[in-house]
Amino acid sequence: MQVFLTSVSSVVEIVLIMALGYILRRNNWFADSFGGNIAALITKIALPASIFMSVMKYLTRNKLMGLGVGLIFPALAVVISYIFAFVLVKLFRIKPGRRGVFINGIANANTIFIGMPLNTALFGNQAMSYFLIYYIVNTVSTWAFGVYLIQNDDPTQQGKKKERGKINWQKLLPMPLVGFVVSVIWLLIGIPVPNFIGQTLSYVGSLVTPLSLIYIGIVLYDAGLNNFRFERDTVWALIGRFIISPLALIILIKIGLGAGVHLPSLMRGTFVVQSATPMLAVLPILADEAHGDVKYATNIVVMSTVLFVIVVPILMSILQFI
């Protein structure tokens, strides 16, 4: 019960900051471009700084070498989620324009704007290295394969010969991932970080959590909370995101533990929680670029962002038995 109450408290803190962003946007405190400006500040400056300092503080060379095994579990879980999503697409004959969005909604998570603040609130900065493992898997999955599925689900091109979607290498190597790579190289070389640089990066990195949550509040207002549509395709996407995705990871973790693989409790908790974070905030944008069903994409993003506050405390209670 204590774990449940603690997780509820952490989620309430997150929701309150999201609500602040929502209210301020509703009261016209922010210009239309402000959300995009915050997103750019977070992803290109604040998050890379936060990741760099977290690696410097919480990783050593020995710990870094031990993280490789952890990649296997979220990677396999994402593959299972893709397979489940593909089966549902065929089973329910989901129409073109929704298929790519539906599959991405199940397999890929909003690790930056909700996943990281949530993980920090639940597990502290000590779990940052484990978050980075899931972040890497999720980034590669989204921009190397997920976007490809949306681009090739253009309903205006069905039945026509079309150019295949290409891997977006720029987005496959975003600034947060660059920050991680630089920090790992710095760690391996063993160069100490000057105190004034470390303090500067720490101050900038501390912007990530509040700004991310305020940004989500802005997104929710712009999308409209009245976009709730409990239709079949939406319900199955939510089941895949909040039940199948974490369940696949829980089963894989149990198998790994049974086989004698050492998986720290913080790693297990981080992986499971990240696997059930809401859907990618950029899904409506990607759907629009591919002439897909933007209303459907907006609907599942809004619903998953709102409903995750119920899912997280339940998952935290289940984690006690893993």
Side-chain angles (χ1 to χ4, degrees):
M1 177 59 75
Q2 183 61 40
V3 174
F4 180 82
L5 293 177
T6 301
S7 60
V8 169
S9 176
S10 298
V11 169
V12 168
E13 294 169 6
I14 288 172
V15 171
L16 288 176
I17 301 176
M18 288 168 54
L20 175 63
Y22 183 95
I23 293 169
L24 293 179
R25 174 63 174 139
R26 185 185 64 185
N27 292 333
N28 297 317
W29 278 47
F30 302 141
D32 292 342
S33 62
F34 188 70
N37 295 336
I38 284 185
L41 174 61
I42 293 169
T43 56
K44 296 179 180 179
I45 298 176
L47 187 54
S50 176
I51 289 173
F52 182 88
M53 291 311 299
S54 295
V55 170
M56 293 297 104
K57 288 180 180 178
Y58 302 110
L59 275 185
T60 62
R61 294 181 184 181
N62 291 336
K63 287 184 179 179
L64 182 63
M65 299 306 173
L67 293 180
V69 176
L71 279 168
I72 298 172
F73 294 90
L76 286 177
V78 168
V79 170
I80 292 171
S81 297
Y82 272 119
I83 293 172
F84 177 79
F86 274 110
V87 170
L88 290 182
V89 166
K90 295 296 183 182
L91 183 64
F92 294 121
R93 298 180 181 178
I94 295 176
K95 63 183 181 181
R98 286 189 176 188
R99 294 171 183 169
V101 171
F102 179 85
I103 294 170
N104 272 272
I106 292 175
N108 298 315
N110 189 347
T111 54
I112 291 183
F113 296 110
I114 290 185
M116 184 179 176
L118 177 63
N119 214 68
T120 302
L122 294 175
F123 306 115
N125 289 325
Q126 297 91 332
M128 176 60 75
S129 57
Y130 306 131
F131 165 80
L132 291 174
I133 293 175
Y134 199 96
Y135 168 75
I136 291 170
V137 171
N138 192 74
T139 298
V140 173
S141 170
T142 300
W143 298 108
F145 188 58
V147 171
Y148 170 88
L149 295 176
I150 294 176
Q151 290 174 343
N152 287 280
D153 187 38
D154 188 335
T156 65
Q157 298 297 318
Q158 296 298 313
K160 301 179 182 179
K161 186 176 181 180
K162 55 187 177 182
E163 182 182 351
R164 287 289 183 183
K166 298 177 181 179
I167 295 176
N168 189 328
W169 292 105
Q170 182 180 358
K171 291 187 176 179
L172 187 59
L173 196 64
M175 283 306 296
L177 194 53
V178 171
F180 176 68
V181 172
V182 171
S183 65
V184 168
I185 295 173
W186 200 287
L187 180 67
L188 293 176
I189 294 175
I191 303 175
V193 179
N195 185 60
F196 72 94
I197 292 180
Q199 288 286 9
T200 301
L201 292 177
S202 295
Y203 286 141
V204 174
S206 65
L207 296 172
V208 172
T209 297
L211 287 185
S212 295
L213 298 175
I214 288 174
Y215 170 75
I216 290 299
I218 293 172
V219 169
L220 287 177
Y221 177 80
D222 289 340
L225 291 180
N226 58 345
N227 276 308
F228 279 74
R229 299 289 185 274
F230 279 102
E231 55 183 2
R232 184 200 64 183
D233 293 355
T234 298
V235 171
W236 275 108
L238 293 170
I239 289 174
R241 177 95 295 265
F242 289 138
I243 297 179
I244 302 303
S245 180
L247 181 61
L249 200 36
I250 289 172
I251 292 173
L252 289 171
I253 288 173
K254 294 291 284 184
I255 292 174
L257 292 174
V261 179
H262 175 63
L263 298 171
S265 59
L266 278 180
M267 177 185 282
R268 301 197 298 267
T270 295
F271 285 175
V272 172
V273 168
Q274 291 303 314
S275 70
T277 48
M279 300 172 191
L280 293 162
V282 297
L283 281 183
I285 297 173
L286 296 174
D288 185 52
E289 290 176 351
H291 308 103
D293 193 333
V294 178
K295 287 186 178 179
Y296 173 72
T298 303
N299 186 38
I300 61 174
V301 169
V302 170
M303 292 186 70
S304 66
T305 303
V306 173
L307 294 177
F308 96 99
V309 301
I310 301 172
V311 174
V312 171
I314 296 174
L315 275 181
M316 290 300 292
S317 299
I318 294 174
L319 280 174
Q320 300 177 78
F321 306 101
I322 300 176

